[in-house]
Amino acid sequence: MAGANDMELISTEAPPASKRRRKKSLVWEHFTIEVVDGGCTRACCKLCKQTFAYSSGTKIAGTSHLKRHIALGSCPKIKNQDKKPLMLPGAQTDGNSMDPPKRRYRRSNWNNALFEQEISCGSLAKMIILHEYPLHIVEHPGFVSFVQSLQPRFRMMSANDTEREILSVYQKEKQSLMQTLGNLPGRISLTINLWTTSQTLGYVCLSGQFIDYEWRLHRRMLNFMMVASPHSENALSEAIEICLSDWNMQTKLFTITLDNNCSSHDIYSANLRDHLTNKNTLMLKGQLFVVRCYAHILNAIAQDVMASIHGIIYNIRESVKFIKASHAREEKFAEIALQLEIFSTNNVCLDVASQWNTTYLMLVAAKDYKQAFACLENCDDSYNEAPSTEDWKKVEIVCSFLKLFYDSANVIMSTEDPTANIFFQEAWKILVELTNATRNDDDTVSCIAKEMHEKFDKYWKDCSLILAIAVVMDPRFKLKLVEFSFPKIYGEDAARYVTVVSDALHELYLEYVAQPLPLTPAYIEPEGGANMSNGNNDSNQGTITVSAGDGLVDFDIFISETAMDLHTKSELDQYLEEALVPRIQEFDILNWWKLNNLKYPTLSRMARDVLAIPVSMVGPGCSIFGVGTGGRMLDEYRSSLRPDIVEALFCARDWIQYSPIVSEPPSTTSTVKMEY
């Protein structure tokens, strides 16, 4: 029998005499049992050789402290495992082959020892929200089996439990966003989109667009609510009222952008303006209140112009299908093109009917091969879809018009933060081109152009004031671009329309002047008189720098009052008279206003609200080409869910994919701005 000074290591199996069952805990892959005096045993770590109490007579100490030694990194060998591989039982260090252990220890199991059912349920709910999985995925046998293989301790939720978790995520995210919106430095603009279902139900989606304290543009979905009659005159007004009340923004509404067809837009505009003006303080007497979606008007006109040659487009689409039907036909068509010396960089491609840009690209490529299509029809009896010469002439005309909208849409989509200032340049160029086309000597060109011009001119009349004021807030253009472009649009009446813009601009500015201005650090003119906008500045004579804690607040007020007469020009006039900022490709207008916030404290608040107007309802990074002329369709599955669940799914998905919004102003320095 072994003595106290002659201890022997016991294997992970109990001694045969005790006939105990084999120990199953993973702990015993890292510990052995040592017999000590008095019939007691201790557990010895195979890595660091430390011993721990295990049993004293018939009393067993358990294995929790052994797990902590391994899982929490108390073992010095495991602490260094990032530097040195963990040696497992049976491993050899002499360079020879090792005997693989029967079971491999996975340290991640120990790291996840503190399993939280609630956290996992929340993560599962967010996964369903983000990826638009059906709620009953939690009851799919395959999914349940997969989750159990990862964490057997997780109790799978039912579909009803999943609904509750989704509502919990929605409420938590809503409270966070509500706190942020409550501290916004400016106003918020809404976009309103109509959704329909296969039943008679309808939904209204309201999103808010705004600029935070760090001058970053944000758009967040606010409500996705079911309405009985989404196309009725009162439905949108009621939805907006509910939204403003729900988010405590009754006094912060600036503009709304509608996604309606042209015929009903006037009705909606008048109804909304009259209904909400009595309950909300609208800037500029509501003249800027209703905005029409720029992407919507582009797509509506593009669809109309393509509809004028729908038969020709059908023939071209069928021709491309014929060529793409087999590799032999493609080779034959390529050989014909080579013989005709057609060396186009455009490849014949098939379009996606719901994306008008793909139809445009199909037409552009096809017209380069019009001779090849005619030759193919002569040499292949099975092909008889080649357009005629007159058809190709119409395709040429349509493509020239579609290019205007295609290029404009790409400019908008390529802008990381599509602020309101970028749309004026795009809109007036299209209007001028369409106006000139209506006077074309070719009857086909003028006929197509007149229908397009009528619709786009209606958009221009509704939105030109908003677009013009927005571009004035761009220091690269200011009022100069308006003065340059209006003669091309209005001819001899241009000066009158420029005056309309100028008057509205100054009136809007005065409304911001009338609002209280928060105490902010003072603007200090850089040495040499050069300001942050690379322009000239002689307007800093009304600002001084004082110490925030020198006890001279009354003196500051005295200086403010006595210097009132010295400040003869408003911030707006100073801004307009300064030199334009150079037009560089990487110019960041939001960063420019952030840097000039101290110089133009009142005008910058106006610029913040104006630049945040969602002239296009299509968000950053999304395709403009897929915006249809009507509302979007809710799929049958989501149509079958309760309205509160539908709203939670749509809104929460929008909220949790974004980074936090800056909801507090930056800390002030020791200088303050004196108002004059």
Side-chain angles (χ1 to χ4, degrees):
M1 180 179 294
N5 298 326
D6 188 22
M7 295 180 295
E8 64 179 7
L9 298 179
I10 307 300
S11 67
T12 57
E13 294 187 64
S18 64
K19 295 184 180 180
R20 293 177 181 175
R21 61 187 179 87
R22 182 182 180 88
K23 300 181 183 299
K24 296 183 178 180
S25 175
L26 291 176
V27 167
W28 300 113
E29 293 191 9
H30 301 277
F31 289 89
T32 58
I33 299 177
E34 297 179 349
V35 179
V36 296
D37 292 337
C40 299
T41 58
R42 293 182 66 82
C44 177
C45 178
K46 295 180 181 180
L47 300 177
C48 65
K49 303 304 180 184
Q50 295 184 52
T51 62
F52 303 85
Y54 178 60
S55 70
S56 177
T58 58
K59 184 177 180 180
I60 303 298
T63 60
S64 297
H65 59 306
L66 307 182
K67 293 178 180 179
R68 288 193 294 270
H69 177 71
I70 298 295
L72 300 181
S74 300
C75 179
K77 297 292 185 179
I78 293 181
K79 285 183 179 180
N80 298 326
Q81 73 172 355
D82 292 337
K83 300 179 181 179
K84 183 178 180 180
L86 182 66
M87 299 302 295
L88 300 173
Q92 299 180 3
T93 58
D94 57 359
N96 298 327
S97 62
M98 63 175 68
D99 296 330
K102 293 182 179 180
R103 288 187 296 179
R104 184 181 298 275
Y105 167 65
R106 297 177 182 175
R107 188 166 183 262
S108 60
N109 288 342
W110 299 107
N111 288 338
N112 296 327
L114 299 177
F115 165 72
E116 293 286 348
Q117 174 75 15
E118 293 183 0
I119 294 177
S120 296
C121 289
S123 298
L124 177 56
K126 288 183 178 180
M127 181 196 75
I128 292 174
I129 293 170
L130 275 175
H131 303 289
E132 301 181 335
Y133 295 135
L135 273 61
H136 52 269
I137 189 177
V138 297
E139 298 174 350
H140 292 178
F143 182 73
V144 173
S145 176
F146 171 70
V147 173
Q148 291 299 316
S149 70
L150 298 178
Q151 178 52 268
R153 297 168 60 188
F154 178 72
R155 300 187 303 276
M156 182 58 67
M157 301 183 294
S158 66
N160 291 334
D161 294 333
T162 304
E163 287 188 356
R164 287 190 288 270
E165 283 294 332
I166 289 173
L167 290 174
S168 176
V169 171
Y170 164 76
Q171 290 296 341
K172 182 178 179 181
E173 295 295 332
K174 182 176 181 178
Q175 289 300 321
S176 177
L177 181 57
M178 182 173 291
Q179 182 178 1
T180 298
L181 296 181
N183 297 326
L184 280 184
R187 290 179 173 251
I188 190 169
S189 293
L190 299 180
T191 65
I192 303 178
N193 199 2
L194 302 181
W195 288 65
T196 58
T197 67
S198 56
Q199 294 85 16
T200 58
L201 304 176
Y203 282 84
V204 174
C205 175
L206 297 101
S207 299
Q209 187 158 298
F210 53 91
I211 295 174
D212 66 11
Y213 280 103
E214 286 296 316
W215 286 87
R216 292 188 301 222
L217 184 68
H218 300 275
R219 180 180 293 186
R220 296 291 184 272
M221 187 178 294
L222 301 179
N223 294 91
F224 195 92
M225 63 183 72
M226 187 178 73
V227 292
S229 302
H231 294 282
S232 67
E233 294 184 7
N234 295 325
L236 293 185
S237 299
E238 294 175 357
I240 293 173
E241 286 184 2
I242 293 174
C243 176
L244 296 178
S245 176
D246 190 22
W247 293 91
N248 297 321
M249 297 188 303
Q250 291 89 339
T251 61
K252 291 188 175 182
L253 179 62
F254 190 54
T255 67
I256 61 169
T257 303
L258 298 177
D259 183 16
N260 305 114
N261 58 49
C262 300
S263 60
S264 63
H265 183 269
D266 291 338
I267 298 176
Y268 280 117
S269 299
N271 181 55
L272 289 173
R273 187 178 289 109
D274 294 342
H275 189 87
L276 296 175
T277 299
N278 298 328
K279 300 183 179 182
N280 301 272
T281 305
L282 301 181
M283 306 299 291
L284 205 58
K285 300 177 182 178
Q287 293 184 62
L288 308 180
F289 183 54
V290 180
V291 185
R292 292 179 60 189
C293 176
Y294 183 74
H296 179 273
I297 195 66
L298 288 187
N299 289 348
I301 297 178
Q303 295 288 352
D304 286 347
V305 71
M306 289 191 300
S308 65
I309 60 166
H310 67 278
I312 302 174
I313 293 177
Y314 173 82
N315 287 344
I316 293 176
R317 186 180 291 125
E318 292 300 314
S319 298
V320 176
K321 287 181 181 179
F322 179 85
I323 296 170
K324 297 289 185 180
S326 68
H327 182 65
R329 289 178 181 175
E330 285 188 290
E331 287 188 341
K332 183 177 182 180
F333 187 77
E335 183 180 349
I336 293 174
L338 184 62
Q339 294 174 354
L340 296 174
E341 298 183 351
I342 300 174
F343 304 107
S344 174
T345 57
N346 297 316
N347 295 321
V348 176
C349 56
L350 194 62
D351 69 331
V352 178
S354 60
Q355 301 285 330
W356 69 263
N357 60 313
T358 63
T359 303
Y360 163 69
L361 295 176
M362 179 185 72
L363 297 178
V364 169
K367 66 185 181 64
D368 289 346
Y369 294 90
K370 56 185 177 182
Q371 294 180 345
F373 282 112
C375 185
L376 180 63
E377 188 174 41
N378 293 330
C379 64
D380 192 332
D381 295 335
S382 60
Y383 172 66
N384 56 2
E385 301 287 350
S388 65
T389 302
E390 186 65 25
D391 290 341
W392 286 117
K393 178 184 176 181
K394 292 181 180 179
V395 170
E396 192 81 33
I397 295 172
V398 166
C399 284
S400 66
F401 287 127
L402 290 178
K403 186 178 188 301
L404 294 174
F405 307 121
Y406 178 80
D407 291 343
S408 182
N410 280 324
V411 168
I412 303 303
M413 290 192 299
S414 64
T415 305
E416 183 176 357
D417 292 317
T419 46
N421 59 294
I422 67 175
F423 293 88
F424 179 86
Q425 172 76 350
E426 299 303 314
W428 81 263
K429 288 191 301 184
I430 290 178
L431 182 61
V432 169
E433 291 291 339
L434 294 180
T435 301
N436 293 335
T438 59
R439 305 171 186 144
N440 195 288
D441 295 334
D442 190 314
D443 292 339
T444 304
V445 174
S446 61
C447 182
I448 296 177
K450 285 179 181 178
E451 295 182 4
M452 301 169 65
H453 179 270
E454 181 180 356
K455 183 169 290 189
F456 197 85
D457 186 58
K458 178 66 171 63
Y459 170 82
W460 176 261
K461 290 177 180 177
D462 289 338
C463 300
S464 59
L465 182 60
I466 298 172
L467 302 181
I469 291 178
V471 82
V472 172
M473 294 295 99
D474 190 331
R476 298 170 297 174
F477 301 111
K478 300 184 181 178
L479 199 57
K480 297 298 183 183
L481 185 59
V482 177
E483 296 170 346
F484 168 79
S485 59
F486 273 21
K488 301 178 183 297
I489 300 173
Y490 300 111
E492 297 179 354
D493 293 333
R496 180 166 60 91
Y497 287 98
V498 172
T499 301
V500 171
V501 174
S502 180
D503 291 346
L505 189 68
H506 283 81
E507 184 180 346
L508 180 62
Y509 170 75
L510 290 177
E511 293 187 21
Y512 280 89
V513 171
Q515 299 173 3
L517 186 67
L519 193 67
T520 59
Y523 169 73
I524 303 175
E525 179 70 20
E527 295 182 4
N531 61 28
M532 289 176 284
S533 65
N534 298 325
N536 298 322
N537 177 46
D538 57 357
S539 60
N540 66 321
Q541 52 185 332
T543 62
I544 63 173
T545 302
V546 298
S547 173
D550 59 4
L552 294 177
V553 176
D554 293 341
F555 174 73
D556 299 336
I557 297 175
F558 169 75
I559 295 297
S560 171
E561 293 174 348
T562 57
M564 187 74 69
D565 295 336
L566 299 177
H567 198 215
T568 58
K569 293 182 179 179
S570 68
E571 291 178 21
L572 177 58
D573 289 332
Q574 296 170 40
Y575 167 78
L576 294 177
E577 291 176 7
E578 288 181 354
L580 300 180
V581 173
R583 297 195 310 275
I584 56 177
Q585 186 175 1
E586 60 273 12
F587 178 75
D588 186 343
I589 188 173
L590 296 182
N591 187 60
W592 189 92
W593 278 105
K594 178 181 178 181
L595 295 176
N596 287 271
N597 185 37
L598 300 183
K599 182 178 180 181
Y600 304 113
T602 300
L603 189 61
S604 64
R605 290 190 296 127
M606 173 176 157
R608 188 195 301 270
D609 294 340
V610 169
L611 294 176
I613 296 176
V615 179
S616 170
M617 298 184 64
V618 181
C622 299
S623 174
I624 288 180
F625 304 109
V627 180
T629 57
R632 301 180 64 181
M633 178 69 70
L634 199 67
D635 62 64
E636 293 187 3
Y637 170 70
R638 280 172 171 73
S639 299
S640 67
L641 299 176
R642 298 200 320 265
D644 59 329
I645 298 298
V646 175
E647 182 172 42
L649 288 172
F650 274 86
C651 292
R653 182 177 184 271
D654 181 76
W655 298 338
I656 61 181
Q657 62 181 321
Y658 293 109
S659 59
I661 302 169
V662 178
S663 58
E664 296 294 337
S667 59
T668 58
T669 61
S670 60
T671 60
V672 296
K673 174 73 172 61
M674 299 303 301
E675 289 305 311
Y676 299 91

